Amino acid sequence: MNSEQTQVAIIGGGPSGLLLGQLLHTVGIDNIVVERQTKAHVLGRIRAGVLERGLISLLEQAAVAERAHAEGDPHDGVVLGFNNQHTRISFSDHIDKPVVVYGQTEVTRDLYEARDKCQGRTHFSVEDVIIKGLDSDRPELTFSINGAEHLIACDYVAGCDGFHGVSRHTIPADIRQEYEKVYPFGWLGILSETPPIHDELIYANSDNGFALCSMRNSNLSRYYVQCSTDDNTEQWSDDRFWHQLQQSVPQDFLCNLQTGPSIEKSIAPLRSFVCEPMQWQRLFLCGDAAHIVPPTGAKGLNTAASDVHYLFNALKDFYQSNNTTSLDHYSQHALARVWKAERFSWWMTQLLHQFPEHTTFDKRMQHAEFELLQTQVEAQANLAVNYVGLPY
Ligand code: FAS
Ligand code: PHB
């Protein structure tokens, strides 16, 4: 049995676990990350694309923001399309906080590079992670790697292992309260090495369904269309994808659309989910391990970041001042912001998608909401302050 000691054991080497590990390192709190996949597999995921100011600040605090500043693209507004109408929502007209377009994949790459540089301990390809002794002052992780048994003894466990991880299920079922809404559609996303159709994101709803035009850089575009939950990527040729996108994006923008072969194609299901509490004895959940949002509001990665902010500061209070007040209230603090992100993501999803069960009245309500956003400054301000990210 390979035995190790640390202060904080982090389950999950995605953005939540890596960001927490890097922040802990900056204040000398020892930590070990255990990751189920290989590093290459984690870095092969194409996920979020929009970073809130709060996440950028955390990357700065972790001394990992250099590339995001150099290559990230600040955005000061988004375009909303509704059938062939469209309106731009400015951020700076309401709040001086642009968002930065910089892929989650790059954030994860930057965090791994920083972790390697400071020789942070990371175990990849771990199997059968079990959390033990959470009611003691020295909990343990046991797991195996290629058949060899491992044990990590620690003070605290951070469950950063995503929606399909083990951490959440370690909280007893009679303690956990789970809230869930599964949407009757998914997002089919592609990457193409083509110039973006527009210099800002376009979220569009039409009788043909939802579409999103995003980007990673001036020659790498990220597009999404609404698809059925029964679909798989084999059913979606590039031609079918581009045709569907052009049915939903307002025609004023189509003259700038440059299509090309997809270099990545994937389907993501959409759900809203929250687990309460986000802590149990010496286990603390962060990110997708505790909550999921439909990506319509670009809140998934960004809400993981605010969890990490609260947990990092609570652990720092404990190790530097022997004060557990913030640790004792972590779940309460994190959930207050989680639920606001859940609401905004749900609202954006309701506004921008075609729901099979929608009546003609429901469709008129979507149109009325869009007209409010076209004409009412208060409605525009509300979208702007939520999209750029509420304060931590
Ligand atoms: P992650 O799921 O990223 O990371 C968890 C890590 O834990 C993974 O590396 C996993 O391999 C590991 N793990 C799991 N079980 C383990 C175990 N038992 N032991 C050890 N390790 C284990 N958000 C947006 O804002 N915009 C988007 O467009 C967007 N698209 C998405 C598409 C998909 C398919 C998915 C699944 C999510 C998407 N998200 C999007 C949300 C996403 O960005 C998450 O919010 C973000 O990855 C959260 O990061 P983590 O909490 O670190 O979870
Ligand atoms: C992306 O660029 O992948 C992206 C941007 C905004 C979203 C979702 C995804 O709301």
Side-chain angles (χ1 to χ4, degrees):
M1 170 82 78
N2 300 284
S3 291
E4 294 177 274
Q5 307 283 328
T6 189
Q7 291 171 297
V8 181
I10 299 171
I11 307 175
S16 295
L18 293 171
L19 180 57
L20 177 63
Q22 217 47 40
L23 289 167
L24 292 172
H25 169 74
T26 63
V27 294
I29 298 173
D30 188 71
N31 62 88
I32 299 175
V33 170
V34 297
E35 164 57 50
R36 177 162 64 183
Q37 304 290 354
T38 63
K39 186 193 289 189
H41 182 99
V42 175
L43 291 174
R45 293 178 185 138
I46 306 296
R47 294 226 180 125
V50 173
L51 309 187
E52 293 176 358
R53 177 66 227 162
L55 174 46
I56 295 290
S57 299
L58 287 174
L59 293 176
E60 290 166 349
Q61 199 177 342
V64 189
E66 188 179 340
R67 203 159 67 98
H69 282 311
E71 297 175 20
D73 183 15
H75 279 214
D76 179 36
V78 287
V79 173
L80 298 182
F82 203 86
N83 287 320
N84 260 322
Q85 300 180 64
H86 55 88
T87 190
R88 179 179 185 266
I89 304 291
S90 160
F91 300 147
S92 58
D93 286 357
H94 311 286
I95 185 165
D96 182 21
K97 250 175 43 171
V99 295
V100 173
V101 170
Y102 185 70
Q104 172 177 322
T105 310
E106 304 318 311
V107 172
T108 309
R109 193 187 317 281
D110 296 341
L111 285 164
Y112 267 122
E113 277 181 17
R115 188 167 186 84
D116 293 346
K117 197 178 290 182
C118 69
Q119 295 171 328
R121 286 182 286 174
T122 310
H123 293 297
F124 293 102
S125 304
V126 305
E127 296 177 290
D128 306 321
V129 172
I130 299 174
I131 308 169
K132 300 174 178 174
L134 285 172
D135 55 349
S136 74
D137 60 6
R138 199 72 183 145
E140 296 175 341
L141 294 191
T142 61
F143 54 96
S144 63
I145 302 175
N146 298 328
E149 295 303 312
H150 289 250
L151 179 146
I152 296 175
C154 56
D155 298 329
Y156 293 103
V157 179
C160 302
D161 48 350
F163 187 67
H164 300 290
V166 295
S167 299
R168 183 173 71 250
H169 299 289
T170 305
I171 301 177
D174 61 342
I175 298 291
R176 281 197 325 261
Q177 173 81 47
E178 297 185 348
Y179 304 83
E180 184 169 45
K181 179 181 183 61
V182 178
Y183 296 90
F185 39 72
W187 280 18
L188 168 66
I190 72 160
L191 271 180
S192 64
E193 289 172 325
T194 54
I197 186 173
H198 189 52
D199 57 3
E200 292 181 327
L201 272 66
I202 303 171
Y203 290 84
N205 182 5
S206 81
D207 294 338
N208 298 294
F210 167 84
L212 170 59
C213 304
S214 183
M215 70 288 285
R216 293 292 179 268
N217 59 48
S218 61
N219 198 44
L220 189 59
S221 295
R222 179 69 168 165
Y223 292 106
Y224 297 92
V225 295
Q226 179 176 338
C227 67
S228 162
T229 50
D230 301 327
D231 281 359
N232 59 60
T233 51
E234 288 70 46
Q235 295 166 300
W236 282 86
S237 67
D238 287 359
D239 286 348
R240 183 184 175 194
F241 179 89
W242 292 119
H243 175 73
Q244 178 65 23
L245 185 83
Q246 292 170 67
Q247 298 300 302
S248 295
V249 173
Q251 288 183 349
D252 286 350
F253 296 97
L254 292 181
C255 56
N256 296 325
L257 178 63
Q258 291 192 40
T259 63
S262 60
I263 59 171
E264 191 271 350
K265 190 180 286 179
S266 54
I267 291 178
L270 268 61
R271 81 174 75 237
S272 299
F273 174 88
V274 178
C275 168
E276 290 189 355
M278 288 177 54
Q279 67 188 93
W280 171 245
Q281 297 172 342
R282 286 185 174 245
L283 170 66
F284 298 86
L285 305 184
C286 282
D288 280 18
H291 44 74
I292 296 286
V293 286
T296 328
K299 291 289 165 253
L301 174 61
N302 291 300
T303 309
S306 50
D307 294 347
V308 167
H309 164 82
Y310 297 125
L311 182 55
F312 164 63
N313 284 288
L315 289 166
K316 193 169 70 159
D317 283 354
F318 168 71
Y319 283 108
Q320 293 183 351
S321 320
N322 202 30
N323 181 337
T324 62
T325 304
S326 296
L327 276 175
D328 296 343
H329 295 88
Y330 163 72
S331 179
Q332 179 188 334
H333 291 157
L335 283 167
R337 191 175 189 275
V338 163
W339 278 112
K340 296 183 181 75
E342 290 284 342
R343 182 210 68 84
F344 179 66
S345 305
W346 162 82
W347 178 79
M348 286 281 277
T349 303
Q350 296 288 334
L351 171 68
L352 290 163
H353 290 77
Q354 294 296 302
F355 286 71
E357 75 275 13
H358 265 186
T359 65
T360 49
F361 178 81
D362 295 320
K363 290 174 185 290
R364 288 301 283 121
M365 285 298 98
Q366 285 184 322
H367 193 253
E369 193 79 58
F370 178 74
E371 287 183 322
L372 209 56
L373 287 161
Q374 270 185 312
T375 58
Q376 203 200 35
V377 66
E378 293 82 0
Q380 295 159 2
N382 184 50
L383 190 149
V385 298
N386 279 280
Y387 193 92
V388 302
L390 297 175
Y392 285 7

